[in-house]
Amino acid sequence: MTPERKQRIIDTARARQPDLTVFMERVHKPHNLAAVLRTCDAVGIMHAHAVPAEHGLPTLNNTAQGAQRWVGLSRHADSVSGIRALREHGFSCHAAHFSERAVDFRRLDYTRPTAIVLGTEKFGVSDEALALCDGEIIIPMHGMTQSLNVSVACALILYEAERQRSLAGMYDANRSNESPWKELIEQWIARDLARRKTPLPEHPETAA
Amino acid sequence: MTPERKQRIIDTARARQPDLTVFMERVHKPHNLAAVLRTCDAVGIMHAHAVPAEHGLPTLNNTAQGAQRWVGLSRHADSVSGIRALREHGFSCHAAHFSERAVDFRRLDYTRPTAIVLGTEKFGVSDEALALCDGEIIIPMHGMTQSLNVSVACALILYEAERQRSLAGMYDANRSNESPWKELIEQWIARDLARRKTPLPEHPETAA
């Protein structure tokens, strides 16, 4: 491992935001899961959450660009137990869902511990998930179609969080010696070293 | 056609932004084209532009939610002629592309006539397109992967334009009797009436 690669891993790990996450209900399409995980990596999410669909989580291919190696993904048996666990860990849970009480996604304070709950491609956020959420957020739309693609909606919300957290200096903190960053850095370096010993013919990260 | 439907069509049409658009170079994947067109519809783009890939434009299915009926799509033989034409129509062209001179996507003034140039999924924006663009814009990333999904990047940029244009009151204008809104309203109403006379078993708009 080059010193540049090691430093990049350390810098990326210490910009991770353990108090920002997404909770995906039964995402079906591999390209949607791939796009969500790439965005999670880009905004520094340490750990994402999902309830697998009936046939399990979609299989990721190169379109994920290896994001699954840098973003942890916890599977939950159902939305109720998953969202309850997030709330017990101090997360405020907000569903990307249109309703009378929904607020514009740009009005939420994302510098607080926040989990964004995303529904399925077809049916949106489930009633049992909504019942456990602190609120609902909507993205303003000026068109004739009813909704945005789920990975697009997720990205718009997460990048509003990124904007607020950047302004608050939350990506600048030097936390290499604190938990959970210390453990994350050790884990990433060890895994990257092990992986590079047996290079794959097609490296997801080098695919454009 | 109910009076509510007619009014919705009129309101949507007059919020259209003829001076905001996207230019897609050889987009390959149907789900990416579908997601881009849904976002175009949502931010009020009147007309999008594309250079088809070798085998033509991807075929859209229900995931586009019928957005292709509300967003015009012009095909261009190549990027050079397409971007030149946009420039001749007064558009400032900005490529979603990383470079030394690229600026943060939130720093651009999108209230001016703006076209966002998007590259292919695999290779990004072509050199010949870059040579014709006024500038390059990047989205800040804090992760290990190199890029975002193309429809995600497109949405982030277009929703920054939406934010700026909303603040500037550009969606509120009452322009039903002006060109090109007048023609658009007439065209949409006529087409919607014709379409509803022969209802399809699976209506794209009612799919969630």
Side-chain angles (χ1 to χ4, degrees), chain A residues 21-88:
Chain A
T21 194
V22 293
F23 184 93
M24 292 170 266
E25 286 194 292
R26 298 183 178 77
V27 59
H28 281 85
K29 297 182 181 170
H31 59 81
N32 282 334
L33 180 60
V36 168
L37 288 179
R38 275 164 84 176
T39 307
C40 285
D41 177 54
V43 302
I45 285 181
M46 192 178 270
H47 210 97
H49 299 264
V51 177
E54 259 180 50
H55 304 290
L57 279 179
T59 306
L60 291 169
N61 58 18
N62 274 359
T63 62
Q65 289 213 338
Q68 65 273 34
R69 290 190 284 119
W70 309 106
V71 179
L73 183 59
S74 288
R75 289 150 202 248
H76 297 269
D78 56 74
S79 297
V80 171
S81 61
I83 296 173
R84 276 207 183 122
L86 283 172
R87 291 177 63 92
E88 278 161 21

Side-chain angles (χ1 to χ4, degrees), chain A residues 41-42 122 140 142 145 159 162 208, chain B residues 41-42 122 140 142 145 159 162 208:
Chain A
D41 177 54
K122 262 199 162 172
H142 307 271
T145 49
Y159 262 88
E162 188 274 341
Chain B
D41 177 54
K122 262 200 161 172
H142 307 271
T145 49
Y159 262 89
E162 187 276 340

Side-chain angles (χ1 to χ4, degrees), chain B residues 8-17 46 181 184-185 188:
Chain B
R8 183 151 174 254
I9 287 178
I10 293 171
D11 291 345
T12 305
R14 72 187 191 192
R16 280 301 195 239
Q17 314 281 312
M46 194 179 269
W181 295 276
L184 190 71
I185 291 167
W188 279 6

Side-chain angles (χ1 to χ4, degrees), chain A residues 4-205:
Chain A
E4 292 76 20
R5 172 103 185 148
K6 188 174 176 184
Q7 195 57 50
R8 180 148 177 256
I9 287 177
I10 293 171
D11 291 344
T12 306
R14 72 187 188 191
R16 279 303 196 237
Q17 313 281 313
D19 55 353
L20 177 67
T21 194
V22 293
F23 184 93
M24 292 170 266
E25 286 194 292
R26 298 183 178 77
V27 59
H28 281 85
K29 297 182 181 170
H31 59 81
N32 282 334
L33 180 60
V36 168
L37 288 179
R38 275 164 84 176
T39 307
C40 285
D41 177 54
V43 302
I45 285 181
M46 192 178 270
H47 210 97
H49 299 264
V51 177
E54 259 180 50
H55 304 290
L57 279 179
T59 306
L60 291 169
N61 58 18
N62 274 359
T63 62
Q65 289 213 338
Q68 65 273 34
R69 290 190 284 119
W70 309 106
V71 179
L73 183 59
S74 288
R75 289 150 202 248
H76 297 269
D78 56 74
S79 297
V80 171
S81 61
I83 296 173
R84 276 207 183 122
L86 283 172
R87 291 177 63 92
E88 278 161 21
H89 281 85
F91 282 91
S92 189
C93 298
H94 295 268
H97 180 79
F98 178 79
S99 76
E100 287 298 314
R101 64 168 186 161
V103 298
D104 188 299
F105 78 110
R106 294 176 179 127
R107 296 187 61 186
L108 210 67
D109 177 2
Y110 298 93
T111 62
R112 295 160 56 201
T114 309
I116 306 302
V117 177
L118 301 166
T120 62
E121 289 96 340
K122 262 199 162 172
F123 304 110
V125 181
S126 68
D127 289 341
E128 59 265 32
L130 287 176
L132 287 169
C133 284
D134 297 270
E136 287 135 42
I137 44 181
I138 45 165
I139 294 163
M141 295 176 70
H142 307 271
M144 292 295 289
T145 49
Q146 306 288 339
S147 67
L148 295 163
N149 166 278
V150 63
S151 66
V152 160
C154 172
L156 293 172
I157 296 166
L158 289 182
Y159 262 88
E160 174 59 20
E162 188 274 341
R163 190 189 69 79
Q164 294 183 14
R165 285 175 176 243
S166 281
L167 283 174
M170 292 171 79
Y171 291 102
D172 311 328
N174 190 336
R175 301 174 291 199
S176 315
N177 299 314
E178 291 171 39
S179 186
W181 296 276
K182 186 171 179 289
E183 295 78 7
L184 190 70
I185 290 167
E186 288 165 2
Q187 179 199 330
W188 278 7
I189 288 176
R191 223 185 36 196
D192 204 59
L193 277 171
R195 194 164 183 280
R196 271 155 200 269
K197 277 184 191 155
T198 51
L200 297 170
E202 278 191 35
H203 194 299
E205 245 186 302

Side-chain angles (χ1 to χ4, degrees), chain B residues 149-204:
Chain B
N149 167 277
V150 63
S151 66
V152 160
C154 172
L156 292 172
I157 296 165
L158 289 182
Y159 262 89
E160 175 59 20
E162 187 276 340
R163 190 189 68 78
Q164 294 183 14
R165 286 175 176 244
S166 281
L167 283 174
M170 292 171 78
Y171 291 102
D172 310 330
N174 190 336
R175 301 176 289 199
S176 315
N177 298 315
E178 290 172 39
S179 186
W181 295 276
K182 186 169 177 288
E183 295 79 7
L184 190 71
I185 291 167
E186 287 166 2
Q187 178 198 332
W188 279 6
I189 289 176
R191 221 184 39 197
D192 205 60
L193 276 172
R195 191 164 186 279
R196 271 153 200 269
K197 276 183 192 154
T198 51
L200 297 169
E202 277 193 34
H203 193 299

